[in-house]
Amino acid sequence: MENRRPLIAGNWKMFKTCSEAVETTRRLLTLLEKNVDTDVMIAPPFTALAAVANIAKGSLISVGAQNLFWEKEGAYTGEISAPMIASAGCKYVIIGHSERRRYFGDTDQTVNRKIAAAIQNDLIPIFCVGESEKERESKETFSVLDKQVKKGLENFSSNDLKTLVIAYEPVWAIGTGKTATRIQAQEAHAFLRSKLVKCFGNKLAKSIRILYGGSVKPNNISELMAMPDVDGALVGGASLDAETFRKIIDFQT
Ligand code: 13P
């Protein structure tokens, strides 16, 4: 993993009311006292961001949003901007998750604008990419990843992307219990890193953390983390329970 600091991130999706999110965060804080080697992030729903960020302040847990809209402010009913997310106490923002691409119309182009807004507001983007089952079966995995990275990161300089995190989330592995094998994950991560080398040079490519996401559980995290290009995980279902998530954070390679 070279010198990349592992990041274990929990995407809570549309789960937990504000008080439930606060309760889970408090529980996690008590469980994580001794953890110092891994960065930890949780992404609750928008309604709980400020409350969770408030109790996590100064702790090992960073907070992230699950999406943003690229305009700073304006008549965009229902949307949340990057400055709003930053002012709620967030450090990260997940962008281009496959559920957003599938249900809410996110495209490579809108993802590109969202990443730009995150960077301009000093939020660390967690940029999600990944192929569908059909695309994998028809051997299009690498071409899909190639296009998502090319378009999603179009017009950025390597300086813009200093903090970027990429999450490889094969759509067929999300919420299905079907994890990519460590070989499949490593293959995709190595491909993504080689693409980053080509576009932005070796130095940046070697520093960007690439997380794996898709049915990560306490019993498969260690083998995934043992792979050289897997720098962390973006965890859905198994991040909702503090004890289970702690077991993932405490992975041993
Ligand atoms: P699961 O861990 O529930 O498969 O979800 C993965 C995911 O989509 C994280 O963003």
Side-chain angles (χ1 to χ4, degrees):
M1 208 196 301
E2 316 235 341
N3 290 325
R4 296 181 294 272
R5 193 173 153 83
L7 168 61
I8 303 292
N11 174 9
W12 287 358
K13 308 193 180 185
M14 199 174 75
F15 290 98
K16 296 188 191 289
T17 60
C18 188
S19 57
E20 288 165 350
V22 164
E23 195 185 311
T24 307
T25 307
R26 282 197 206 287
R27 179 84 191 115
L28 198 55
L29 282 168
T30 63
L31 294 171
L32 285 188
E33 263 160 2
K34 292 193 209 80
N35 184 285
V36 282
D37 298 329
T38 304
D39 286 343
V40 178
M41 185 218 72
I42 48 178
F46 286 128
T47 44
L49 285 181
V52 166
N54 204 23
I55 56 167
K57 207 171 178 176
S59 77
L60 293 163
I61 302 177
S62 299
V63 180
Q66 300 174 18
N67 180 36
L68 58 70
F69 183 56
W70 56 79
E71 293 294 344
K72 184 170 157 254
E73 59 184 12
Y76 301 105
T77 303
E79 292 298 318
I80 310 280
S81 73
M84 291 169 184
I85 289 166
S87 79
C90 290
K91 182 171 170 187
Y92 293 86
V93 57
I94 299 170
I95 293 177
H97 191 280
S98 63
E99 287 149 15
R100 298 232 39 106
R101 293 178 191 254
R102 178 167 175 201
Y103 302 119
F104 304 103
D106 280 18
T107 63
D108 293 331
Q109 287 70 27
T110 62
V111 165
N112 180 270
R113 296 186 75 171
K114 291 181 179 196
I115 295 173
I119 294 166
Q120 274 155 21
N121 289 278
D122 294 325
L123 291 165
I124 300 176
I126 302 184
F127 165 39
C128 302
V129 295
E131 81 287 1
S132 67
E133 184 152 39
K134 197 162 145 252
E135 288 161 343
R136 176 161 283 268
E137 277 165 7
S138 48
K139 310 227 175 314
E140 289 170 59
T141 298
F142 292 158
S143 63
V144 168
L145 296 179
D146 188 82
K147 178 175 153 284
Q148 288 174 338
V149 170
K150 184 163 162 253
K151 302 252 185 222
L153 300 182
E154 201 158 30
N155 297 326
F156 292 122
S157 69
S158 35
N159 196 44
D160 294 330
L161 302 179
K162 280 192 311 255
T163 63
L164 180 77
V165 174
I166 293 185
Y168 169 61
E169 298 207 309
V171 179
W172 48 271
I174 296 178
T176 57
K178 271 197 238 171
T179 324
T181 65
R182 63 203 171 97
I183 309 290
Q184 287 170 325
Q186 170 58 25
E187 228 173 47
H189 285 221
F191 174 82
L192 288 166
R193 204 175 302 286
S194 71
K195 175 80 187 159
L196 294 171
V197 171
K198 269 188 235 144
C199 298
F200 302 103
N202 206 38
K203 187 159 173 262
L204 183 78
K206 289 267 153 72
S207 73
I208 288 182
R209 292 180 289 184
I210 306 180
L211 316 182
Y212 169 78
S215 300
V216 172
K217 307 282 179 234
N219 66 4
N220 58 25
I221 183 70
S222 301
E223 59 183 87
L224 289 160
M225 290 303 291
M227 304 314 277
D229 287 292
V230 177
D231 308 313
L234 184 54
V235 186
S239 71
L240 293 169
D241 173 72
E243 273 76 12
T244 310
F245 192 43
R246 196 276 300 263
K247 286 186 196 148
I248 295 176
I249 294 164
D250 283 348
F251 71 89
Q252 297 291 331
T253 53

